[in-house]
Every structure is written in C-alpha cells, then in structure tokens.
Coordinates of all heavy atoms in Angstrom, one line a residue:
M1 N 96.7 95.4 73.4 CA 97.2 96.5 74.2 C 98.6 96.7 74.0 O 99.5 95.8 74.2 CB 96.9 96.2 75.7 CG 97.2 97.3 76.6 SD 96.8 96.8 78.3 CE 96.0 98.3 78.9
G2 N 99.0 97.9 73.5 CA 100.4 98.2 73.2 C 101.2 98.5 74.4 O 100.7 98.7 75.5
S3 N 102.5 98.6 74.2 CA 103.5 98.9 75.2 C 103.2 100.3 75.8 O 103.3 100.5 77.0 CB 104.9 98.8 74.7 OG 105.8 99.1 75.7
E4 N 102.9 101.2 75.0 CA 102.7 102.6 75.4 C 101.5 102.7 76.3 O 101.5 103.3 77.4 CB 102.5 103.5 74.2 CG 102.4 105.0 74.6 CD 103.7 105.5 75.1 OE1 104.8 105.0 74.8 OE2 103.6 106.5 75.9
E5 N 100.4 101.9 76.0 CA 99.2 101.9 76.8 C 99.5 101.3 78.2 O 99.0 101.7 79.2 CB 98.1 101.2 76.1 CG 97.6 101.9 74.9 CD 96.6 101.0 74.1 OE1 96.6 99.8 74.3 OE2 95.9 101.6 73.2
K6 N 100.3 100.2 78.2 CA 100.6 99.6 79.5 C 101.4 100.5 80.4 O 101.2 100.6 81.6 CB 101.5 98.3 79.2 CG 100.7 97.2 78.6 CD 101.5 96.0 78.3 CE 100.7 94.9 77.6 NZ 101.6 93.8 77.3
L7 N 102.4 101.3 79.8 CA 103.1 102.2 80.6 C 102.3 103.3 81.1 O 102.5 103.8 82.2 CB 104.3 102.8 79.7 CG 105.4 101.8 79.4 CD1 106.4 102.4 78.5 CD2 106.1 101.2 80.7
E8 N 101.3 103.8 80.3 CA 100.4 104.8 80.8 C 99.5 104.3 81.9 O 99.3 105.0 82.9 CB 99.5 105.3 79.7 CG 100.2 106.2 78.7 CD 99.3 106.6 77.5 OE1 98.1 106.6 77.6 OE2 99.9 107.0 76.5
A9 N 99.1 103.0 81.8 CA 98.3 102.4 82.9 C 99.2 102.3 84.2 O 98.7 102.6 85.3 CB 97.8 101.1 82.5
L10 N 100.4 101.9 84.1 CA 101.3 101.9 85.2 C 101.5 103.2 85.9 O 101.6 103.3 87.1 CB 102.7 101.2 84.8 CG 102.7 99.7 84.7 CD1 104.1 99.3 84.1 CD2 102.4 99.1 86.0
E11 N 101.7 104.3 85.0 CA 101.9 105.6 85.6 C 100.6 106.1 86.3 O 100.7 106.7 87.4 CB 102.2 106.6 84.4 CG 103.6 106.4 83.9 CD 103.9 107.3 82.7 OE1 103.0 108.1 82.3 OE2 105.0 107.3 82.2
T12 N 99.5 105.8 85.8 CA 98.2 106.1 86.5 C 98.1 105.4 87.8 O 97.8 106.0 88.8 CB 97.0 105.8 85.6 OG1 97.2 106.5 84.3 CG2 95.7 106.2 86.2
M13 N 98.4 104.1 87.8 CA 98.4 103.4 89.0 C 99.4 103.9 90.1 O 99.1 104.0 91.2 CB 98.7 101.9 88.7 CG 98.5 101.0 90.0 SD 99.1 99.3 89.7 CE 100.8 99.5 89.7
G14 N 100.6 104.3 89.6 CA 101.6 104.8 90.5 C 101.1 106.1 91.1 O 101.3 106.3 92.3
R15 N 100.5 107.0 90.3 CA 100.0 108.3 90.9 C 98.9 108.0 91.9 O 98.8 108.7 92.9 CB 99.5 109.1 89.7 CG 100.6 109.7 88.9 CD 100.1 110.6 87.8 NE 101.1 111.0 86.9 CZ 101.1 110.8 85.6 NH1 100.1 110.3 85.0 NH2 102.1 111.2 84.9
I16 N 98.0 107.1 91.6 CA 96.9 106.8 92.5 C 97.5 106.3 93.8 O 97.1 106.7 94.9 CB 96.0 105.7 91.9 CG1 95.2 106.4 90.8 CG2 95.0 105.2 93.0 CD1 94.3 105.4 90.0
L17 N 98.5 105.4 93.8 CA 99.1 104.8 95.0 C 99.9 105.9 95.8 O 100.0 105.8 97.0 CB 100.1 103.7 94.6 CG 99.5 102.4 94.2 CD1 100.5 101.4 93.7 CD2 98.7 101.8 95.4
I18 N 100.4 106.9 95.1 CA 101.1 108.0 95.8 C 100.1 109.0 96.5 O 100.2 109.3 97.7 CB 102.0 108.7 94.9 CG1 103.2 107.8 94.6 CG2 102.5 110.0 95.5 CD1 104.1 108.4 93.5
F19 N 99.1 109.4 95.7 CA 98.2 110.5 96.2 C 97.1 110.0 97.1 O 96.5 110.8 97.8 CB 97.7 111.3 95.0 CG 98.8 112.1 94.4 CD1 99.2 111.8 93.1 CD2 99.4 113.1 95.1 CE1 100.2 112.6 92.5 CE2 100.4 113.8 94.5 CZ 100.8 113.6 93.2
T20 N 96.6 108.8 97.0 CA 95.5 108.3 97.9 C 95.9 108.4 99.4 O 95.1 109.0 100.1 CB 95.1 106.9 97.5 OG1 94.7 106.9 96.2 CG2 94.0 106.4 98.4
P21 N 97.0 107.9 99.8 CA 97.3 108.0 101.3 C 97.6 109.4 101.7 O 97.2 109.8 102.8 CB 98.6 107.1 101.5 CG 98.8 106.4 100.2 CD 98.0 107.0 99.2
L22 N 98.2 110.2 100.8 CA 98.4 111.6 101.1 C 97.1 112.4 101.3 O 96.9 113.2 102.2 CB 99.3 112.3 100.0 CG 100.7 111.7 99.9 CD1 101.4 112.4 98.7 CD2 101.5 111.9 101.2
T23 N 96.2 112.1 100.4 CA 94.8 112.8 100.5 C 94.1 112.4 101.7 O 93.5 113.2 102.5 CB 94.0 112.5 99.2 OG1 94.7 112.9 98.1 CG2 92.7 113.2 99.3
M24 N 94.1 111.1 102.0 CA 93.4 110.6 103.2 C 94.1 111.1 104.5 O 93.4 111.4 105.4 CB 93.4 109.0 103.2 CG 92.6 108.5 102.0 SD 90.9 109.1 101.9 CE 90.2 108.6 103.4
G25 N 95.4 111.2 104.5 CA 96.1 111.7 105.6 C 95.8 113.2 105.9 O 95.6 113.6 107.0
L26 N 95.7 113.9 104.8 CA 95.3 115.3 104.9 C 93.9 115.5 105.4 O 93.6 116.3 106.3 CB 95.4 116.0 103.5 CG 95.1 117.5 103.5 CD1 96.0 118.3 104.4 CD2 95.1 118.0 102.1
L27 N 92.9 114.7 104.9 CA 91.6 114.8 105.4 C 91.5 114.4 106.9 O 90.8 115.0 107.7 CB 90.7 113.8 104.6 CG 90.4 114.3 103.2 CD1 89.6 113.2 102.5 CD2 89.7 115.6 103.1
N28 N 92.3 113.3 107.3 CA 92.3 112.9 108.7 C 92.9 114.0 109.6 O 92.4 114.3 110.7 CB 93.1 111.6 108.8 CG 93.0 111.1 110.2 OD1 92.0 111.2 110.9 ND2 94.1 110.5 110.7
F29 N 93.9 114.7 109.1 CA 94.6 115.8 109.8 C 93.6 116.9 110.0 O 93.5 117.5 111.1 CB 95.8 116.3 109.1 CG 96.5 117.4 109.8 CD1 97.2 117.2 110.9 CD2 96.4 118.7 109.2 CE1 97.9 118.3 111.5 CE2 97.1 119.7 109.8 CZ 97.8 119.5 111.0
I30 N 92.8 117.3 109.0 CA 91.9 118.4 109.1 C 90.8 118.0 110.1 O 90.4 118.8 111.0 CB 91.3 118.7 107.7 CG1 92.3 119.3 106.9 CG2 90.0 119.6 107.9 CD1 91.9 119.5 105.4
M31 N 90.3 116.8 110.1 CA 89.3 116.3 111.0 C 89.8 116.3 112.5 O 89.1 116.5 113.4 CB 88.7 115.0 110.6 CG 87.9 115.2 109.3 SD 86.9 113.7 108.9 CE 85.7 113.7 110.2
E32 N 91.1 115.9 112.6 CA 91.7 115.9 114.0 C 91.7 117.3 114.6 O 91.6 117.5 115.8 CB 93.1 115.3 113.9 CG 93.1 113.8 113.7 CD 92.8 113.0 115.0 OE1 93.1 113.6 116.1 OE2 92.4 111.9 114.8
I33 N 92.0 118.3 113.7 CA 92.0 119.7 114.2 C 90.6 120.0 114.8 O 90.6 120.7 115.9 CB 92.3 120.7 113.1 CG1 93.8 120.5 112.7 CG2 92.1 122.1 113.5 CD1 94.2 121.3 111.5
W34 N 89.5 119.6 114.2 CA 88.2 119.9 114.8 C 87.8 118.9 115.9 O 86.7 119.1 116.4 CB 87.2 119.8 113.6 CG 87.3 120.9 112.6 CD1 87.8 122.2 112.9 CD2 87.0 120.9 111.3 NE1 87.8 122.9 111.7 CE2 87.3 122.1 110.7 CE3 86.4 119.9 110.5 CZ2 87.0 122.4 109.4 CZ3 86.2 120.2 109.1 CH2 86.5 121.5 108.6
G35 N 88.6 117.9 116.1 CA 88.4 117.0 117.2 C 87.4 115.9 116.8 O 86.8 115.2 117.7
K36 N 87.1 115.7 115.5 CA 86.2 114.7 115.1 C 86.8 113.6 114.3 O 86.1 112.8 113.7 CB 85.1 115.4 114.2 CG 84.3 116.5 115.0 CD 83.3 117.1 114.1 CE 82.5 118.2 114.8 NZ 81.5 118.8 113.9
G37 N 88.1 113.6 114.3 CA 88.8 112.6 113.4 C 88.8 111.2 114.1 O 88.7 111.1 115.3
P38 N 88.9 110.2 113.3 CA 89.0 108.8 113.8 C 90.4 108.6 114.4 O 91.4 109.2 114.0 CB 88.9 107.9 112.6 CG 89.3 108.8 111.4 CD 88.9 110.2 111.8
D39 N 90.5 107.8 115.4 CA 91.7 107.5 116.1 C 92.4 106.4 115.4 O 92.2 105.2 115.6 CB 91.5 107.1 117.6 CG 92.8 107.0 118.3 OD1 93.8 107.6 117.9 OD2 92.8 106.2 119.3
L40 N 93.3 106.7 114.5 CA 94.0 105.7 113.7 C 95.4 105.4 114.4 O 96.0 106.3 114.8 CB 94.3 106.2 112.3 CG 93.0 106.6 111.4 CD1 93.5 107.2 110.1 CD2 92.2 105.4 111.2
G41 N 95.7 104.2 114.4 CA 97.0 103.8 115.0 C 98.1 103.9 114.1 O 98.0 104.5 113.0
S42 N 99.3 103.4 114.5 CA 100.5 103.5 113.7 C 100.4 102.6 112.5 O 101.1 102.8 111.5 CB 101.7 103.1 114.5 OG 101.6 101.7 115.0
E43 N 99.4 101.7 112.5 CA 99.3 100.8 111.3 C 98.8 101.6 110.1 O 99.2 101.2 109.0 CB 98.3 99.7 111.6 CG 98.7 98.7 112.7 CD 98.3 99.2 114.1 OE1 97.6 100.2 114.2 OE2 98.7 98.6 115.1
A44 N 98.0 102.6 110.3 CA 97.5 103.4 109.2 C 98.7 104.1 108.5 O 98.8 104.2 107.3 CB 96.4 104.4 109.7
G45 N 99.6 104.7 109.4 CA 100.7 105.4 108.8 C 101.7 104.4 108.1 O 102.2 104.8 107.0
Y46 N 101.8 103.3 108.7 CA 102.7 102.3 108.1 C 102.2 101.8 106.7 O 103.0 101.8 105.7 CB 102.9 101.1 109.0 CG 103.8 100.0 108.5 CD1 105.2 100.2 108.4 CD2 103.3 98.8 108.1 CE1 106.0 99.2 108.0 CE2 104.1 97.8 107.6 CZ 105.5 98.0 107.5 OH 106.3 97.0 107.1
S47 N 100.9 101.6 106.6 CA 100.4 101.1 105.3 C 100.4 102.3 104.3 O 100.6 102.0 103.1 CB 98.9 100.6 105.5 OG 98.1 101.6 106.0
G48 N 100.2 103.5 104.8 CA 100.3 104.6 103.9 C 101.7 104.8 103.3 O 101.8 105.1 102.1
V49 N 102.7 104.6 104.1 CA 104.1 104.7 103.6 C 104.3 103.6 102.6 O 105.0 103.8 101.6 CB 105.0 104.7 104.8 CG1 106.5 104.5 104.4 CG2 104.9 105.9 105.6
L50 N 103.8 102.4 102.9 CA 104.0 101.3 102.0 C 103.4 101.6 100.6 O 103.9 101.3 99.6 CB 103.5 100.0 102.5 CG 104.3 99.4 103.6 CD1 103.5 98.1 104.1 CD2 105.7 99.0 103.2
M51 N 102.2 102.2 100.6 CA 101.5 102.5 99.4 C 102.3 103.6 98.6 O 102.4 103.5 97.4 CB 100.1 103.0 99.7 CG 99.1 101.9 100.0 SD 97.4 102.5 100.3 CE 97.0 103.1 98.7
V52 N 102.8 104.6 99.3 CA 103.5 105.7 98.6 C 104.8 105.1 98.0 O 105.2 105.4 96.9 CB 103.8 106.8 99.6 CG1 104.8 107.8 99.0 CG2 102.5 107.5 100.0
N53 N 105.5 104.2 98.8 CA 106.7 103.6 98.3 C 106.4 102.8 97.0 O 107.2 102.8 96.1 CB 107.4 102.8 99.3 CG 108.1 103.6 100.4 OD1 108.4 104.8 100.1 ND2 108.3 103.1 101.5
T54 N 105.3 102.0 97.1 CA 105.0 101.2 95.9 C 104.7 102.1 94.7 O 105.0 101.7 93.6 CB 103.7 100.3 96.3 OG1 104.0 99.6 97.4 CG2 103.4 99.4 95.1
G55 N 104.0 103.2 94.9 CA 103.7 104.1 93.8 C 105.0 104.7 93.2 O 105.1 104.8 92.0
I56 N 105.9 105.1 94.1 CA 107.2 105.6 93.6 C 107.9 104.5 92.8 O 108.5 104.8 91.7 CB 108.0 106.1 94.7 CG1 107.4 107.4 95.3 CG2 109.5 106.4 94.3 CD1 108.0 107.8 96.6
I57 N 108.0 103.3 93.3 CA 108.7 102.3 92.5 C 108.0 102.0 91.2 O 108.7 101.7 90.2 CB 108.8 101.0 93.4 CG1 109.7 101.2 94.6 CG2 109.2 99.8 92.6 CD1 109.7 100.2 95.7
T58 N 106.7 102.0 91.2 CA 105.9 101.8 89.9 C 106.3 102.9 88.9 O 106.5 102.6 87.7 CB 104.4 101.8 90.2 OG1 104.2 100.7 91.2 CG2 103.6 101.5 89.0
L59 N 106.3 104.1 89.4 CA 106.6 105.2 88.5 C 108.1 105.1 87.9 O 108.3 105.4 86.8 CB 106.4 106.6 89.1 CG 105.0 107.0 89.3 CD1 104.9 108.3 90.1 CD2 104.2 107.1 88.0
L60 N 109.0 104.7 88.8 CA 110.4 104.5 88.4 C 110.5 103.4 87.3 O 111.2 103.5 86.3 CB 111.3 104.2 89.6 CG 111.6 105.4 90.5 CD1 112.3 104.9 91.7 CD2 112.4 106.4 89.8
Y61 N 109.7 102.3 87.6 CA 109.7 101.2 86.6 C 109.2 101.6 85.3 O 109.8 101.3 84.2 CB 108.8 100.1 87.2 CG 108.6 98.9 86.3 CD1 109.6 97.9 86.2 CD2 107.5 98.8 85.5 CE1 109.4 96.8 85.4 CE2 107.3 97.7 84.7 CZ 108.3 96.7 84.6 OH 108.2 95.6 83.8
A62 N 108.1 102.4 85.2 CA 107.6 102.9 84.0 C 108.5 103.9 83.3 O 108.7 103.8 82.1 CB 106.2 103.6 84.2
S63 N 109.2 104.7 84.1 CA 110.2 105.6 83.5 C 111.4 104.9 82.9 O 111.8 105.3 81.8 CB 110.7 106.6 84.6 OG 109.7 107.3 85.1
V64 N 111.9 103.9 83.5 CA 113.0 103.1 83.0 C 112.6 102.5 81.7 O 113.3 102.5 80.7 CB 113.5 102.1 84.0 CG1 114.5 101.1 83.4 CG2 114.2 102.8 85.2
H65 N 111.4 101.9 81.6 CA 111.0 101.2 80.4 C 110.7 102.2 79.3 O 111.1 101.9 78.1 CB 109.7 100.4 80.7 CG 110.0 99.1 81.2 ND1 110.4 98.0 80.4 CD2 110.0 98.6 82.4 CE1 110.6 97.0 81.1 NE2 110.4 97.3 82.4
R66 N 110.2 103.4 79.6 CA 110.1 104.5 78.6 C 111.4 104.9 78.0 O 111.6 105.1 76.8 CB 109.4 105.7 79.1 CG 107.9 105.6 79.0 CD 107.3 107.0 79.3 NE 106.0 106.8 79.7 CZ 105.0 106.8 78.8 NH1 105.2 107.0 77.6 NH2 103.7 106.7 79.2
F67 N 112.4 105.0 78.9 CA 113.7 105.4 78.5 C 114.3 104.4 77.6 O 114.9 104.7 76.6 CB 114.6 105.7 79.7 CG 116.0 106.0 79.4 CD1 116.3 107.3 79.0 CD2 117.0 105.1 79.5 CE1 117.6 107.6 78.7 CE2 118.3 105.4 79.2 CZ 118.6 106.7 78.8
R68 N 114.2 103.1 78.0 CA 114.8 102.0 77.2 C 114.1 101.9 75.8 O 114.8 101.6 74.8 CB 114.7 100.7 78.0 CG 115.6 100.6 79.2 CD 115.4 99.4 80.0 NE 115.9 98.3 79.3 CZ 115.7 97.0 79.6 NH1 114.9 96.7 80.6 NH2 116.2 96.0 78.9
E69 N 112.8 102.1 75.8 CA 112.1 102.1 74.5 C 112.6 103.3 73.6 O 112.8 103.2 72.4 CB 110.6 102.2 74.6 CG 110.0 100.9 75.0 CD 108.5 101.0 75.1 OE1 107.9 102.1 74.7 OE2 107.9 100.0 75.5
G70 N 112.9 104.5 74.2 CA 113.4 105.6 73.5 C 114.8 105.3 72.9 O 115.1 105.7 71.8
V71 N 115.6 104.7 73.7 CA 117.0 104.4 73.3 C 116.9 103.4 72.1 O 117.6 103.5 71.1 CB 117.8 103.8 74.4 CG1 119.1 103.2 74.0 CG2 118.1 104.9 75.5
R72 N 116.0 102.4 72.2 CA 115.9 101.4 71.1 C 115.4 102.0 69.9 O 115.9 101.7 68.8 CB 114.9 100.3 71.5 CG 115.5 99.2 72.3 CD 114.6 98.0 72.4 NE 114.6 97.7 73.9 CZ 113.5 97.6 74.6 NH1 112.3 97.8 74.1 NH2 113.5 97.3 75.9
Q73 N 114.5 103.0 70.0 CA 114.0 103.6 68.8 C 115.0 104.5 68.2 O 115.2 104.6 67.0 CB 112.7 104.5 69.1 CG 111.5 103.7 69.3 CD 110.3 104.5 69.7 OE1 110.4 105.7 69.8 NE2 109.2 103.9 69.9
A74 N 115.8 105.2 69.0 CA 116.9 106.0 68.5 C 118.0 105.2 67.8 O 118.5 105.6 66.8 CB 117.5 106.8 69.6
E75 N 118.3 104.0 68.3 CA 119.3 103.2 67.7 C 118.8 102.6 66.4 O 119.6 102.4 65.5 CB 119.7 102.0 68.7 CG 120.5 102.4 69.8 CD 120.8 101.3 70.8 OE1 120.1 100.2 70.6 OE2 121.5 101.5 71.7
S76 N 117.5 102.3 66.3 CA 117.0 101.8 65.0 C 116.7 102.8 64.0 O 116.4 102.5 62.9 CB 115.8 100.9 65.3 OG 114.7 101.7 65.8
G77 N 116.7 104.1 64.4 CA 116.5 105.2 63.5 C 115.0 105.6 63.3 O 114.7 106.4 62.5
K78 N 114.2 105.1 64.2 CA 112.8 105.4 64.1 C 112.6 106.7 64.9 O 113.3 107.0 65.8 CB 111.9 104.3 64.7 CG 111.9 103.0 63.9 CD 111.0 102.0 64.6 CE 111.1 100.7 63.8 NZ 110.4 99.7 64.5
S79 N 111.5 107.4 64.6 CA 111.2 108.6 65.4 C 109.9 108.5 66.1 O 109.2 107.6 66.0 CB 111.3 109.9 64.5 OG 110.5 109.7 63.4

C-alpha cells in the first residue's frame, strides 16, 4: 500500500467522521419537528462534536503530508 493510497484512506475516513454526525443530527432534527424523534441528551451532541473535530484533524493531517510530499518531489525534480 503506497503513501498516496494511505492518504486517500485517511481523507475518506475524515470525511466520514465529519458528515456522519451532521447527517444523524439533521435526521434527528427533522424527526423532532414531527414530534417522533428520540430524546437524546447532551452526550449525543458532545460525542458528535468530538467526531467532527477528529475528522477535521484527520483531514488536516492528510493535507500536511500531501503538501510535504509535494515539496519533496519539487526539490528532487520529479513531477
């Protein structure tokens, strides 16, 4: 498994970590409007924020590594 494949996997994981809590929160909000939503406590919001933060950090990590690989390739003259 090459470095590029690992970075793509990290980006995919980061996107999943960001959009899963947002999607579930949106679905919960829609169900709450109809009065049929589950009564989630503050723990659900806290864990959702942690997941989104983890996704953002993962995407930043992958971005920094992509940038560093690009700089290394530019210095060595590869394209």
Side-chain angles (χ1 to χ4, degrees):
M1 186 180 221
S3 175
E4 187 67 27
E5 293 171 345
K6 290 178 184 177
L7 290 175
E8 287 179 18
L10 280 174
E11 287 177 358
T12 302
M13 184 187 77
R15 289 184 186 122
I16 289 170
L17 285 171
I18 289 173
F19 289 115
T20 299
L22 295 177
T23 304
M24 296 307 295
L26 179 63
L27 292 174
N28 187 34
F29 178 73
I30 291 170
M31 291 190 67
E32 286 283 334
I33 291 174
W34 292 331
K36 298 179 182 178
D39 185 26
L40 301 175
S42 63
E43 296 86 7
Y46 181 72
S47 64
V49 169
L50 287 178
M51 283 180 67
V52 170
N53 286 340
T54 304
I56 291 170
I57 290 169
T58 303
L59 288 176
L60 287 173
Y61 177 82
S63 299
V64 167
H65 276 280
R66 269 191 202 272
F67 178 77
R68 291 176 70 194
E69 282 184 5
V71 169
R72 274 191 233 123
Q73 287 179 356
E75 288 176 350
S76 65
K78 296 180 184 176
S79 51

